[in-house]
Amino acid sequence: MTSYSEDSFPKESHFSRRGLLVGGGLASIGVALGIGTTRDLSPDNRNGVPPSESLIPFFGTHQAGIATPPQNHLLFGAFDVTTSRGDDLRAMLNAWSQAAAAMTAGQVVGTTTNTYAPPVDTGEARGLPAAGLTITIGYGPGLFTKDFGLTAPRLQPLPNFPGDNLTENESYGDIAIQCCADDPQVAFHALHMLARMGLGVVQLRYSQLGFGRTSVTTASQDVPRNLLGFKDGIENLRTNSARDYARFVWIDPHASTPRWQHHGTTMVVRKIRTHIESWSSSSLDTQEAVIGRFKDSGAPLSGSKMDDAPDFSAVDQYNNYVIPSSSHVRLASQHSNGGMTILRRGYGYSEGISPQSGEMLCGLYFICFQKDPHQFVTVQNSLSLADALNDYIEHVSSAVFAIPGGLAKGDAWGDQLFRS
Amino acid sequence: MGPRKNLRVRVVVLVVGCSLILSACTNTRNAPSLTNYSSTVDYGHVTSPSPAEQRATLAGTRAYRTLIVTSAQKFAAASSALLVAAQRGDRTAAKSDYLRAQEGFDAIRAQLNAVTPQPLSMDGRISDFPHWMPPAGLHAIEEDLWGTTGSRLVADAHALASIGAIMVFGLERSIATPNEYLTNAVRMLSWCIAQVIDDPQEQFSHLDLIDLTGTLGAVSAIVAGTVELGNLVNPHLTRTVVADMTQVQVTLRSLGNPAVTTDSQISNAQWRALVSAIDTLQSHLSELAGWLWGFGTGRTYA
Ligand code: HEM
């Protein structure tokens, strides 16, 4: 078995992908002149749509991609660790974080000097800006049962919930990589690069493309609509409430967990198929009663504006709850879950049709973050038994991961994990 | 009966009891929404229904009540017979009683669901039960008869039979407006696709056609009971719905005898033909439900 060396992978390149377009021009002249140099690919035509130029810092107290205002696209990947050598895993994770730092800064990964070998950077993001790319890593419970001497004491696999219809090969995983960007090609490049760099140490277990964010984390972002046509993310934790994040999301730096978990969190991923044909054939009245909010305005059924706080005690003239007892927002709310909540950051997905029924295979790639997975379990327990939305949805995959804290400049994922 | 069985019976009776009390004072719809969500369909606005429309409304509401009550009776009779067969040790008779009970329940599920969250303890699949709740109801019996838990059959059948009678009593007053019962019918169609065809109900017998037959038979009865009013309000749409319903029934029948045809004997192409017919019906039926909104109060004892 070949052992994995960090040196097989590039250090930071400092070449902007955009800058390289110019450099590429020079390089081709260089090639024409017979000088061996970096090869570049031609820029991609984005059909006149300017992709986001935003650049989100990779290094920081917390990892990016959690409280970060959700970008428009997701490529999520889960890996199984195939090596039994801790050193290999550590080296690979170190190389991954260096590559992630480069890609999130809109730079190419490494430099290709030998044209007789494959280029280091796979190239599909050349010419594209960072597009707000964030790359977030997480570790699944399976990693801690392997012989690496690693622990994550509070990380347990999720229980089975009523109605779960999980597909094994789209669930679980030892390492999660969440790539979010405003350009799907940039997100694709990120996962592709890491998967390629991980060969021999990890193997991709499944991946999922998501589009159309279904959440907001800041007061300034517009509330989007999900595939059911409802505004989603209205009642979500906002970054302007640091207290809420401290209470519900970030693991305390003094917590009795391994150090790599400090300032981290946990992530739950559930692929939730939506029977969109049935949903679209249900009356507006039914849809609104199922969700507990008006479709057009997003206002709770007890109010008139999106930002009105739901009044769960309001009753109509027949003494029925205005926000029905089986409505999604009632059952998911803090009100019904002993004050417990989660940070939602999911995306829509659509991927062909069911071979059995011919209906669209689409839905919500539900991702949420919370200090302790128990928070999700509490909410999902309440939803799985009684949510009226269950008539239209089906949970088809499930995974949970511990998300390490952010990296200081100069630190790396492998060192962070194995040091504690 | 062991403590687990006692809990099982108590949970079933509690859930069904609560749901029936709720359904006795039924007004299943929420107050009309105040949304300004704009729709391209221009639904009729009923201000003062004609005498013919009033008669047709009442007839539809009565037909729906009859469907629910007779289906509940069928369910009750079949679950009593199932208990007797189980006590006799006659598994063949018990299996056919189970199928009759399931078919009866399929017709009333939406009415029960409209007033209380899914009656898990009546018809929940084994995999739908949380770990802290002992499985009960129809699918516990299905597992006893086709799976490996045969020794629980008498206790499970006893639990089911003990609620059959309450069920009939509670559903006696199932008064619904045309919009309400058509909304139930639309939900029943959703259930067929999402919970039966795409994600089977009968995980041990694999006789999912039973659920489809029971549910689609009930939808067919609901459609028949709506034709008179529908013809007065929107004859073209009503004719379309009736034609869609016929197509669904023809496609369903072509799949085979529901008592013996297992899921794997049905090809993907056959399933898809049925789904497509159901989807078409569902979309037109929900439109018709919109047209019939405002007829009846749902509070007249029909
Ligand atoms: C396909 C599946 C789902 C859809 C379409 C969906 C959709 C929605 C919508 C439209 C809202 C109202 C708008 C808002 O406040 O954001 C909402 C609220 C919420 N949902 Fe979901 N949701 C789904 C699954 C879940 C799951 C699995 C969970 C957690 C276990 C969850 C937790 C929440 C929470 C906590 C709220 C806020 C409730 C409140 O406090 O008002 N949702 N969801």
Side-chain angles (χ1 to χ4, degrees):
Chain A
M1 188 194 291
T2 47
S3 94
Y4 192 102
S5 153
E6 261 173 79
D7 297 333
S8 21
F9 285 95
K11 302 279 183 244
E12 270 176 80
S13 72
H14 302 296
F15 280 114
S16 142
R17 292 195 296 241
R18 283 247 155 138
L20 240 130
L21 293 179
V22 183
L26 293 175
S28 32
I29 296 168
V31 170
L33 292 175
I35 306 164
T37 183
T38 309
R39 171 149 310 165
D40 192 28
L41 308 171
S42 59
D44 169 357
N45 178 352
R46 308 303 298 167
N47 299 325
V49 181
S52 158
E53 302 276 343
S54 63
L55 210 145
I56 295 163
F58 176 73
F59 296 102
T61 309
H62 308 292
Q63 284 196 71
I66 301 166
T68 311
Q71 303 91 322
N72 286 325
H73 298 275
L74 162 82
L75 184 59
F76 179 87
F79 293 83
D80 286 332
V81 172
T82 52
T83 185
S84 54
R85 296 163 55 110
D87 288 348
D88 287 359
L89 179 61
R90 181 175 186 157
M92 184 212 72
L93 289 171
N94 285 347
W96 267 13
S97 48
Q98 282 167 7
M103 291 188 284
T104 51
Q107 294 167 353
V108 290
V109 179
T111 35
T112 300
T113 47
N114 180 354
T115 58
Y116 297 103
V120 177
D121 191 303
T122 51
E124 64 271 35
R126 293 270 171 114
L128 301 179
L133 175 69
T134 53
I135 301 175
T136 315
I137 196 166
Y139 305 117
L143 183 66
F144 303 97
T145 61
K146 294 186 160 50
D147 230 0
F148 299 129
L150 299 169
T151 56
R154 295 220 301 266
L155 189 71
Q156 301 292 332
L158 294 176
N160 259 345
F161 297 98
D164 275 5
N165 187 17
L166 307 183
T167 313
E168 181 88 10
N169 56 11
E170 283 189 289
S171 299
Y172 320 122
D174 296 332
I175 303 183
I177 290 288
Q178 175 196 263
C179 307
C180 298
D182 287 323
D183 183 331
Q185 180 119 345
V186 168
F188 177 87
H189 171 248
L191 187 67
H192 178 199
M193 272 305 302
L194 299 190
R196 194 173 148 65
M197 291 170 66
L199 292 173
V201 179
V202 291
Q203 82 188 13
L204 201 49
R205 182 182 171 88
Y206 56 92
S207 78
Q208 179 69 49
L209 202 55
F211 63 93
R213 64 186 169 88
T214 60
S215 60
V216 283
T217 56
T218 56
S220 56
Q221 230 180 349
D222 278 349
V223 175
R225 287 187 189 271
N226 60 24
L227 299 190
L228 303 185
F230 274 74
K231 292 197 173 187
D232 206 342
I234 301 170
E235 200 61 54
N236 207 16
L237 297 176
R238 300 286 198 275
T239 42
N240 56 1
S241 175
R243 261 194 34 213
D244 280 349
Y245 272 75
R247 185 162 161 224
F248 295 115
V249 183
W250 304 129
I251 293 174
D252 196 80
H254 310 294
S256 59
T257 51
R259 267 186 45 211
W260 60 265
Q261 283 191 286
H262 294 171
H263 300 295
T265 180
T266 71
M267 167 165 64
V268 167
V269 182
R270 308 275 292 182
K271 183 170 178 179
I272 308 177
R273 184 179 164 199
T274 307
H275 292 277
I276 201 84
E277 291 84 353
S278 297
W279 175 260
S280 306
S281 282
S282 56
S283 69
L284 180 56
D285 219 24
T286 304
Q287 294 183 8
E288 292 178 338
V290 166
I291 297 294
R293 285 183 177 270
F294 291 113
K295 191 165 189 174
D296 196 33
S297 62
L301 295 184
S302 58
S304 59
K305 290 195 299 298
M306 187 181 80
D307 293 328
D308 288 348
D311 178 357
F312 292 117
S313 58
V315 290
D316 64 14
Q317 73 261 42
Y318 306 117
N319 224 20
N320 291 327
Y321 281 127
V322 175
I323 300 177
S325 47
S326 61
S327 66
H328 181 70
V329 295
R330 175 184 286 274
L331 292 166
S333 67
Q334 285 182 276
H335 168 93
S336 301
N337 293 288
M340 199 77 95
T341 196
I342 53 181
L343 168 66
R344 290 173 289 141
R345 209 176 182 282
Y347 287 85
Y349 76 88
S350 171
E351 48 190 20
I353 59 170
S354 149
Q356 175 92 331
S357 64
E359 300 215 309
M360 291 177 83
L361 288 175
C362 62
L364 172 66
Y365 206 64
F366 179 90
I367 296 178
C368 67
F369 297 94
Q370 54 282 302
K371 204 177 260 212
D372 189 317
H374 177 64
Q375 291 163 248
F376 167 81
V377 172
T378 304
V379 180
Q380 182 55 21
N381 268 336
S382 130
L383 291 176
S384 64
L385 275 178
D387 188 359
L389 191 56
N390 292 342
D391 281 2
Y392 306 93
I393 64 172
E394 191 183 343
H395 289 236
V396 295
S397 89
S398 177
V400 62
F401 302 96
I403 305 290
L407 291 179
K409 231 179 171 159
D411 201 357
W413 279 335
D415 294 340
Q416 179 196 42
L417 178 67
F418 280 85
R419 198 167 44 224
S420 325
Chain B
M1 190 189 292
R4 183 163 176 249
K5 282 292 142 187
N6 271 327
L7 174 62
R8 185 179 299 215
V9 174
R10 276 205 306 275
V11 169
V12 173
V13 171
L14 184 76
V15 169
V16 173
C18 292
S19 58
L20 292 179
I21 289 163
L22 277 167
S23 84
C25 32
T26 186
N27 178 287
T28 59
R29 73 189 318 282
N30 296 290
S33 68
L34 301 171
T35 178
N36 55 358
Y37 194 77
S38 60
S39 163
T40 52
V41 184
D42 179 22
Y43 295 120
H45 298 284
V46 197
T47 42
S48 51
S50 67
E53 286 172 338
Q54 285 178 22
R55 267 197 310 279
T57 302
L58 196 60
T61 295
R62 281 199 177 126
Y64 180 71
R65 174 173 168 267
T66 305
L67 168 72
I68 297 299
V69 172
T70 52
S71 303
Q73 283 165 345
K74 176 176 170 179
F75 167 74
S79 40
S80 303
L82 171 57
L83 175 59
V84 174
Q87 284 165 334
R88 264 203 331 262
D90 183 348
R91 292 174 70 86
T92 312
K95 282 184 176 178
S96 94
D97 292 331
Y98 166 81
L99 295 178
R100 275 193 308 129
Q102 179 69 65
E103 213 179 323
F105 186 81
D106 288 329
I108 55 179
R109 175 186 297 100
Q111 178 64 22
L112 282 176
N113 263 343
V115 289
T116 185
Q118 290 117 44
L120 188 64
S121 313
M122 294 290 317
D123 191 37
R125 287 170 299 190
I126 301 302
S127 56
D128 291 344
F129 283 82
H131 59 90
W132 46 265
M133 194 172 176
L138 283 158
H139 293 298
I141 293 174
E142 186 208 347
E143 187 183 16
D144 299 342
L145 287 168
W146 279 274
T148 53
T149 52
S151 61
R152 300 196 322 221
L153 178 62
V154 174
D156 286 335
H158 187 269
L160 192 72
S162 62
I163 53 172
I166 318 173
M167 182 86 89
V168 178
F169 165 74
L171 289 171
E172 273 289 319
R173 286 177 58 87
S174 298
I175 312 299
T177 64
N179 174 272
E180 284 165 0
Y181 60 70
L182 285 189
T183 299
N184 281 352
V186 167
R187 286 194 159 195
M188 289 158 93
L189 295 174
S190 300
W191 185 83
C192 286
I193 297 172
Q195 305 294 327
V196 185
I197 299 175
D198 253 338
D199 186 13
Q201 282 289 305
E202 308 296 321
Q203 295 169 332
F204 301 94
S205 73
H206 307 293
L207 293 170
D208 278 287
L209 271 191
I210 273 294
D211 294 281
L212 296 173
T213 306
T215 311
L216 295 173
V219 173
S220 186
I222 295 174
V223 167
T226 314
V227 169
E228 190 181 338
L229 179 63
N231 276 338
L232 294 170
V233 177
N234 188 333
H236 175 71
L237 182 57
T238 306
R239 270 197 304 278
T240 307
V241 165
V242 170
D244 292 344
M245 188 73 242
T246 308
Q247 184 59 39
V248 167
Q249 290 289 38
V250 168
T251 315
L252 177 67
R253 276 197 291 273
S254 73
L255 302 187
N257 175 353
V260 293
T261 310
T262 55
D263 299 345
S264 59
Q265 292 172 281
I266 300 167
S267 70
N268 274 359
Q270 286 176 300
W271 283 124
R272 285 175 68 160
L274 181 62
V275 170
S276 159
I278 295 175
D279 270 342
T280 311
L281 168 63
Q282 195 182 21
S283 134
H284 291 138
L285 196 58
S286 55
E287 233 181 276
L288 187 60
W291 277 92
L292 300 190
W293 190 83
F295 286 98
T297 59
R299 295 191 152 249
T300 322
Y301 192 85

